[in-house]
Amino acid sequence: MLTLYLRENPFSNRKKPYAWHAQSEGRITHDKLIDAVANANTTVTKADVLAVITEYERQVTRALQEGFSVESFFGTLSVGATGSAEKEGERFTPDRPKDRRTPQRDHKITLNFKVKPSFLQQVKDGLRYKTERLKGICEPRINFVADSGMEQDTTFRAGGIIHIRGQFLKIDPNDEEQGVFLEASGKSYKLPRYVRCTRCSIDGLLPDNIPAGDYNLKIRSKKGNALHTSNAVHVSVAGGK
């Protein structure tokens, strides 16, 4: 269920002091979506769904690469370009130059999406949501975790990197009460080092000494003097390197 909440609007040109925002219930992965389609129709197997979706993806990619816009049941995809040029004959170079002496340009290839009005209305008609007071907006929420290759639903390795994505995740790594914790059988292990720590993402290293096994991963953060704990995410850890 979608959660709607009010948040203070800090901009000077605001029309009203608070603004509505939405927080998703979580994330449906590609594999889970395939399972849902397969389970919804007993005459279609998971292999059938995977084969069709894989070919569908290939055809969409090919059409976009050839310069077509692609319409689907939920909207239209098209490739766009952005950037500026000093002169009329300048080349369009969206890739990062390999030679550091080559000047950087703001040329970018973009993928544009325009939602289909009928599909948007269909989503609105069946949307289930709840509202929360302003007080509850700072609760940390983990959407998913991934390994160094951004693979989800995988086994992590002791000492390896872990990527965490969600909302209101930012912590103070120097505060012993705050951090990313893995808990199992009454024991708790805190991540010893963080590479990134922002509102929506935390990248850190798993402890070298953590035993192999299954854990509940949680984030503890402070807002004022109050300690907040996120939802728990199941994580499997293998032995170290």
Side-chain angles (χ1 to χ4, degrees):
M1 182 179 295
L2 192 70
T3 299
L4 306 180
Y5 60 86
L6 280 173
R7 185 179 180 189
E8 188 174 356
N9 189 344
F11 296 105
S12 59
N13 61 345
R14 65 187 183 184
K15 295 180 179 179
K16 296 182 179 180
Y18 299 96
W20 283 105
H21 293 268
Q23 178 177 301
S24 66
E25 180 67 19
R27 176 171 174 161
I28 302 296
T29 64
H30 185 67
D31 288 340
K32 288 182 179 179
L33 188 60
I34 291 174
D35 287 336
V37 174
N39 293 332
N41 188 336
T42 56
T43 63
V44 178
T45 67
K46 181 177 179 179
D48 295 332
V49 177
L50 182 59
V52 171
I53 290 182
T54 300
E55 181 58 26
Y56 185 82
E57 179 183 357
R58 191 181 73 85
Q59 292 294 338
V60 169
T61 303
R62 180 179 177 183
L64 290 170
Q65 289 173 335
E66 292 180 354
F68 291 93
S69 61
V70 180
E71 183 180 351
S72 70
F73 70 92
F74 51 79
T76 302
L77 285 169
S78 61
V79 177
T82 62
S84 57
E86 294 286 348
K87 53 186 178 181
E88 182 180 348
E90 184 174 305
R91 292 178 56 199
F92 182 73
T93 54
D95 297 324
R96 183 184 297 274
K98 295 180 180 179
D99 191 334
R100 291 181 298 176
R101 294 171 296 180
T102 304
Q104 297 283 340
R105 294 188 173 91
D106 60 356
H107 303 171
K108 294 181 180 179
I109 294 293
T110 61
L111 191 60
N112 304 321
F113 173 71
K114 183 178 181 181
V115 67
K116 197 171 185 178
S118 59
F119 178 71
L120 177 60
Q121 190 60 50
Q122 180 181 344
V123 172
K124 289 180 179 180
D125 291 341
L127 183 64
R128 297 173 61 245
Y129 65 88
K130 61 181 179 180
T131 58
E132 290 188 355
R133 295 181 299 173
L134 183 66
K135 181 179 178 181
I137 67 169
C138 291
E139 296 291 335
R141 171 79 185 184
I142 301 173
N143 288 345
F144 70 93
V145 298
D147 63 12
S148 59
M150 292 307 293
E151 292 291 331
Q152 302 176 44
D153 301 323
T154 186
T155 298
F156 296 86
R157 186 167 294 279
I161 194 166
I162 185 168
H163 300 283
I164 305 170
R165 299 294 181 265
Q167 294 92 37
F168 304 107
L169 302 182
K170 192 170 184 178
I171 59 171
D172 180 0
N174 297 320
D175 186 337
E176 288 298 322
E177 292 185 297
Q178 300 185 58
V180 179
F181 297 84
L182 290 92
E183 301 172 348
S185 303
K187 293 186 177 181
S188 180
Y189 298 86
K190 182 181 178 182
L191 264 63
R193 181 183 172 192
Y194 302 92
V195 181
R196 173 191 294 180
C197 183
T198 69
R199 177 178 171 274
C200 297
S201 62
I202 292 179
D203 298 339
L205 297 179
L206 293 169
D208 291 325
N209 63 338
I210 187 170
D214 295 329
Y215 295 86
N216 284 324
L217 183 145
K218 300 177 182 178
I219 292 175
R220 297 194 185 104
S221 62
K222 268 187 181 177
K223 306 296 185 296
N225 294 322
L227 192 64
H228 298 263
T229 302
S230 73
N231 56 308
V233 175
H234 176 266
V235 171
S236 294
V237 179
K241 299 178 181 179

